Amino acid sequence: MNIYASAAVTADGYMDDASTERLIISTPEDLAEVQRLRAASDAILVGAETLRRDNPSLLVRDGELRARRRAEGRPEDIDKVTFTASGRLDPAMNFFTQGAGRKFVFSTRPLPRLEGVAEVIVVEEPLTAPLLVTELEKRGIERLFVEGGPRTLQFFARAGLIDTLRLAVNRDMRLGAQPGAPRLTFDEGYLDVPHTCTRLGAMEIETWCFHPDRSEEDLRLLRQAIELSRLSPPSPTSYRVGAVVRTSRGELFTGYTHETSPTHHAEQEAVAKALAAGAELRGASMYSSMEPCSRRSSEPESCSAMMLRLGFARAVFARYEPDCFVCCRGALDLRLGGVDVRVYPSLGAEVLEVNAHLFR
Ligand SMILES: NC(=O)c1ccc[n+]([C@@H]2O[C@H](COP(=O)([O-])OP(=O)(O)OC[C@H]3O[C@@H](n4cnc5c(N)ncnc54)[C@H](OP(=O)(O)O)[C@@H]3O)[C@@H](O)[C@H]2O)c1
C-alpha cells in the first residue's frame, strides 16, 4: 500500500485551536490541491477524535475530479476509514451518512450501533498501524490518504508506514500558547531527512518522501517470481510459488516451491542459494509470487520468520495467501518486524491461475 499523509499547520505547528469551532488553516488553493490528492487515493483515513470534533464529510466534491475517477473506471466516492478504542462514534456523523464509498471502522470492541452504516473490523489484539494497513490492503485499498489529526499521523509515522508526508504551513497564522490545542509533533529525528519546500499562494508546502517509488523494479522481479512459480510441480497440499531474492548489492537468487525438497518453500530455496554463495542478506528484498508463510506444519521455521531472522528490509508479493490451508499472517508479521511490505494485486490473477489446481 502507498500511504500519503497530509496536514495543514499553523506557523507554530498547530492543527487546530482549543475552541470548539473548526479552525480553517488552509487557503482555497491548498484545499483544491488536497481535493486532487484525495481523488488520487482509494480511501481516506482520519482519527475518531477528528470525526467527533469536526464532523467532516471527507468527500471528493469537485465535479471534474469525480468525472475523471468515473472515466478511469473507479467509483466517484473514495472509501473512508477511521479507528477507535473508545467506540464513541455516532452513526449520524457525516462520515457515515455522506458519500457512496465504503466505510470502515477499526475498533477494539464490537460497535453494534454502527451496524448497517459501516464495516466494523473488530481486532482482538492491540490495534497497530501494520494491522490496519494489512486489513485494508486485503479489502482492495492500494492508496491510502491519511488526513490527521496529529495523533493519527504519529500512529502511522511511528510504524514507519508513511511514504509521503505533505505539510501545508500557513506562515501568516500563529496561535501562540493554546493549552489543549492539537499540535503536530513527531519523534525526534523523524523529519531529519531531505525534503522539498515550495510555495502555493500564501502556504508553504513541505514534502518528505520516506520511501522512493520502486514499482518498476518491483514489478519486473515479481513477474520473474511468477514465471518461476510455473516450474513448481502441482501438489494438492501446497501452493506453487516462485521467489527472487535481491541483495542490497543487486545480486539475484531464485527459487520455487519444492525445487530441491518436497518440504521447501520458494523463499527458502532462494535463500539457501544466496547463503551458499556467501551473500549478505541484511537489507535484502524478497519477491514472492504469494505472501510469505507465517505458520507451517512441514518445517519448524516459517518463511516470514526466516526473513526477519536474516534481516530482510523489503517483502514484495502479488497475492495474499488465500485461507486454504492455514490463516496466513506473513505480511502482518513482517510489517510488525519493521519490514517494508509491498503488494501488487494487479499481478494477483496470474498467481491464482498458476494455483488453479487448488481452487477448481
Ligand atoms: N489541520 C489539519 O490538517 C487537520 C486534519 C485533521 C484533523 N485536524 C484536527 O485534529 C484534531 C484531532 O486530532 P487528535 O490527534 O486529537 O485525534 P485524531 O488523530 O483525529 O484521533 C485520535 C483517536 O484515534 C483513536 N486511536 C488512536 N490510536 C488508536 C489505537 N492504537 N487503537 C484504537 N484507536 C486509536 C482514538 O479514538 P478514541 O478516542 O475514540 O478511542 C484516538 O482518540 C481535531 O481538532 C481536528 O480539527 C486537523
Side-chain angles (χ1 to χ4, degrees):
M1 176 181 294
N2 183 279
I3 299 186
Y4 196 109
S6 162
V9 291
T10 65
D12 45 0
Y14 288 101
M15 286 177 70
D16 196 1
D17 59 18
S19 77
T20 51
E21 297 298 307
R22 186 174 182 172
L23 177 73
I24 304 295
I25 298 171
S26 291
T27 55
E29 297 109 298
D30 182 51
L31 290 172
E33 182 57 22
V34 170
Q35 281 280 310
R36 278 192 284 279
L37 292 166
R38 278 186 189 180
S41 312
D42 299 316
I44 182 167
L45 180 146
V46 298
E49 183 64 19
T50 294
L51 297 188
R52 289 190 289 265
R53 282 229 205 178
D54 299 345
N55 193 20
S57 305
L58 304 174
L59 300 176
V60 173
R61 294 190 184 278
D62 182 281
E64 258 178 51
L65 293 172
R66 294 175 69 83
R68 196 177 308 157
R69 283 179 62 90
R70 204 169 50 238
E72 289 166 1
R74 297 191 290 152
E76 285 183 20
D77 280 312
I78 55 175
D79 295 338
K80 302 191 226 175
V81 188
T82 191
F83 64 134
T84 176
S86 73
R88 287 191 295 121
L89 291 173
D90 186 330
M93 285 170 163
N94 289 333
F95 177 92
F96 299 109
T97 59
Q98 302 222 353
R102 297 177 295 173
K103 285 104 188 171
F104 299 106
V105 179
F106 285 83
S107 170
T108 47
R109 61 179 76 203
L111 300 175
R113 286 184 72 210
L114 299 184
E115 259 169 42
V117 298
E119 181 185 342
V120 179
I121 301 156
V122 181
V123 297
E124 282 166 15
E125 44 199 311
L127 176 47
T128 60
L131 176 65
L132 193 150
V133 164
T134 304
E135 288 301 320
L136 286 178
E137 221 164 40
K138 288 182 178 179
R139 286 163 176 78
I141 290 169
E142 292 181 52
R143 282 161 298 185
L144 181 66
F145 191 62
V146 177
E147 240 187 60
R151 281 184 285 162
T152 296
L153 295 174
Q154 184 65 276
F155 178 73
F156 282 93
R158 284 208 171 117
L161 286 172
I162 296 178
D163 292 305
T164 308
L165 171 68
R166 175 187 189 272
L167 297 186
V169 187
N170 189 332
R171 292 277 169 219
D172 298 331
M173 193 183 279
R174 193 172 282 278
L175 300 186
Q178 284 267 340
R183 196 168 193 171
L184 184 60
T185 55
F186 290 107
D187 293 341
E188 207 181 317
Y190 182 68
L191 295 179
D192 293 350
V193 289
H195 66 285
T196 59
C197 235
T198 54
R199 292 296 303 188
L200 181 61
M203 306 293 281
E204 189 175 283
I205 310 297
E206 301 182 356
T207 309
W208 285 259
C209 179
F210 294 102
H211 303 117
D213 180 14
R214 293 174 67 172
S215 53
E216 210 172 294
E217 180 180 57
D218 285 355
L219 284 166
R220 183 167 52 78
L221 292 176
L222 255 191
R223 286 198 184 95
Q224 189 179 343
I226 294 171
E227 283 317 304
L228 284 160
S229 70
R230 297 182 193 280
L231 301 174
S232 168
S235 146
T237 54
S238 57
Y239 296 109
R240 301 169 75 202
V241 178
V244 178
V245 167
R246 184 195 186 283
T247 68
S248 54
R249 295 171 57 187
E251 304 142 295
L252 299 181
F253 300 93
T254 63
Y256 56 87
T257 313
H258 300 173
E259 183 177 352
T260 66
S261 149
T263 63
H264 279 185
H265 284 185
E267 293 88 340
Q268 260 181 303
E269 298 279 6
V271 161
K273 288 177 200 165
L275 292 177
E280 170 59 61
L281 290 178
R282 204 148 284 281
S285 303
M286 175 69 81
Y287 296 84
S288 317
S289 54
M290 198 181 278
E291 179 183 12
C293 71
S294 58
R295 195 150 49 92
R296 54 196 296 196
S297 43
S298 54
E299 296 218 4
E301 188 181 47
S302 69
C303 291
S304 44
M306 172 187 70
M307 289 162 64
L308 288 170
R309 173 171 59 78
L310 294 169
F312 272 75
R314 298 184 79 234
V316 182
F317 63 91
R319 182 83 173 70
Y320 272 95
E321 184 179 312
D323 291 338
C324 227
F325 304 119
V326 291
C327 182
C328 182
R329 42 176 286 155
L332 176 57
D333 287 348
L334 288 164
R335 280 198 171 111
L336 288 170
V339 175
D340 180 14
V341 177
R342 302 284 154 173
V343 188
Y344 290 87
S346 59
L347 300 182
E350 251 183 276
V351 178
L352 274 191
E353 178 242 307
V354 173
N355 286 282
H357 63 292
L358 292 172
F359 303 113
R360 228 169 255 132

